[in-house]
Structure formats: C-alpha cells, structure tokens
C-alpha cells in the first residue's frame, strides 16, 4: 500500500522513517545568527515574528504544509543546524506558529542545533531516535553538508520553494542527488 505525501503516492518500501531539515535557508530565507538580531518577538496584530529592528522572520510559504503533512503521516521530523546561535534559533522557532496549536519548534521530534559537523548531528539524531541514518532523508541548501552521504541517504534541495518538490519526491530523488555530489 502506498503512502500519500504532498499529494503523491510513495511506495511503502521507499518511505523514510525520518525527514531531517536544515533550518537556515532551507525552512526560512535567512541565517538566524547573522541576518537578524534579538530580542525576537511576536507582533500582536500581524502574528509575525520580528527581530529588534522589526525585520520580519518567516518561513518559506511551502514549509508549514510540508511539516504538517509529515506529522499527519507519523513520519518523524528532525532539525539539524550548525548555527552559531542555537538559542536564537530556538527562540524564533518557538514564536513561529504552524497550524492552530503548534510552533515550528514543536514540529520537530528531534533536534540537533549547534555548531559542528552534520555527521555529528546525524549520529546523535540516530542515537536519540533509534532510527538508522540510512532510514533518514536530509534536506539542506548547502552542498558542503553532503558529507552525511557517508551515513546513508542524502538529498539536497535548493532553498525554499524546491524543498516541497524534493520532499514530495523523497527517495526518488535521493539517488539522483547522491550522484550529483560524487
């Protein structure tokens, strides 16, 4: 029986157990450690997250649909970021609402957010979740993070709008992307 992700059927044997997302320039169009400054707050009227300079911080438009669709299927969601300001990312993500009762922070079942190698992030995600790295698919905008190929699956999506298409293709795109980075 096929699972439906983002309106597309995915064969049961091709469904990853965890979708892992980088955050900066993958879920939102900025680096939270250089493009915005604390304090961060939620504007009462617009429900937008803003920084100290009143700059809006928002997700790419497709991201809420992606995360809510994954959550509804029971597929685990992970965040892996090498930001230099993990507390800033956490604060922004806790202010950013997705759906009625969840924040961006709440959407992730597992998080590895600290400076360092994505290899370390993935090993820790696997340890926390009990899901082998080769049962995870990774979405990121930076080619340098393709190092996680050594641990199993990998997918590299272009920032923002292409994440939705890549997430919907899931494993179908993994082989193609792995070949692109060899």
């Amino acid at each position: 029986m096929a699972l439906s992700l983002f309106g597309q059927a995915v064969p049961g044997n091709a469904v990853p157990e965890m979708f892992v997302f980088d955050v900066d320039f993958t879920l939102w169009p900025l680096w939270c450690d250089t493009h915005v400054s604390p304090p961060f707050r939620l504007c009462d009227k617009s429900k937008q997250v803003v920084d100290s300079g009143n700059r809006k911080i928002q997700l790419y438009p497709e991201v809420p649909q992606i995360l809510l669709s994954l959550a509804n299927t029971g597929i685990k969601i992970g965040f892996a970021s090498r930001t230099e300001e993990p507390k800033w990312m956490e604060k922004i993500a806790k202010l950013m609402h997705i759906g009625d009762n969840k924040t961006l922070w709440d959407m992730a079942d597992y998080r590895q957010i600290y400076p360092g190698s994505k290899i370390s992030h993935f090993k820790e995600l696997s340890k926390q979740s009990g899901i082998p790295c080769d049962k995870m698919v990774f979405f990121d905008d930076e080619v340098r993070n393709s190092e996680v190929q050594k641990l199993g699956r990998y997918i590299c999506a272009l920032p923002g709008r292409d994440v939705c298409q890549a997430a919907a293709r899931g494993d179908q795109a993994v082989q193609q992307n792995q070949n692109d980075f060899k």
Side-chain angles (χ1 to χ4, degrees):
M1 176 165 180
L3 175 70
S4 178
L5 285 176
F6 319 114
Q8 294 185 23
V10 180
N13 62 349
V15 178
E17 293 181 31
M18 186 186 305
F19 277 51
V20 180
F21 297 90
D22 175 49
V23 180
D24 290 340
F25 280 102
T26 301
L27 298 182
W28 56 41
L30 55 88
W31 285 306
C32 74
D33 55 2
T34 60
H35 290 153
V36 293
S37 301
F40 305 105
R41 63 186 171 79
L42 189 64
C43 285
D44 293 332
K45 292 179 184 177
S46 66
K47 302 295 183 200
Q48 290 281 330
V49 178
V50 296
D51 77 346
S52 62
N54 287 323
R55 288 177 290 256
K56 289 181 185 175
I57 304 169
Q58 54 196 10
L59 298 170
Y60 288 113
E62 297 82 357
V63 168
Q65 173 202 353
I66 293 168
L67 297 177
L68 289 168
S69 293
L70 288 170
N72 287 337
T73 66
I75 293 173
K76 299 297 181 194
I77 297 171
F79 294 158
S81 175
R82 59 169 83 217
T83 183
E84 295 288 329
E85 296 291 348
K87 293 290 183 196
W88 294 7
M89 182 175 284
E90 179 178 350
K91 177 67 173 176
I92 295 166
K94 285 182 173 179
L95 289 170
M96 198 165 282
H97 288 272
I98 294 183
D100 294 331
N101 300 316
K102 295 232 177 195
T103 65
L104 177 61
W105 190 257
D106 297 332
M107 296 303 299
D109 299 292
Y110 303 97
R111 296 170 210 87
Q112 290 297 303
I113 300 173
Y114 51 86
S117 166
K118 294 287 179 150
I119 297 266
S120 299
H121 291 152
F122 268 75
K123 286 181 178 179
E124 196 58 35
L125 285 169
S126 180
K127 185 176 168 184
Q128 287 178 344
S129 67
I131 298 171
C133 292
D134 67 353
K135 299 291 184 187
M136 300 178 193
V137 174
F138 181 41
F139 297 86
D140 196 322
D141 66 303
E142 293 187 75
V143 173
R144 71 179 171 149
N145 293 325
S146 65
E147 66 186 0
V148 300
Q149 290 181 97
K150 298 172 189 171
L151 301 175
R153 300 179 187 206
Y154 177 76
I155 188 168
C156 184
L158 296 174
R161 303 203 188 295
D162 291 336
V163 170
C164 187
Q165 287 182 324
R169 289 192 323 258
D171 278 4
Q172 296 171 7
V174 172
Q175 189 60 47
Q176 176 185 345
N177 281 289
Q178 284 179 337
N179 290 337
D180 290 345
F181 290 105
K182 288 182 179 173

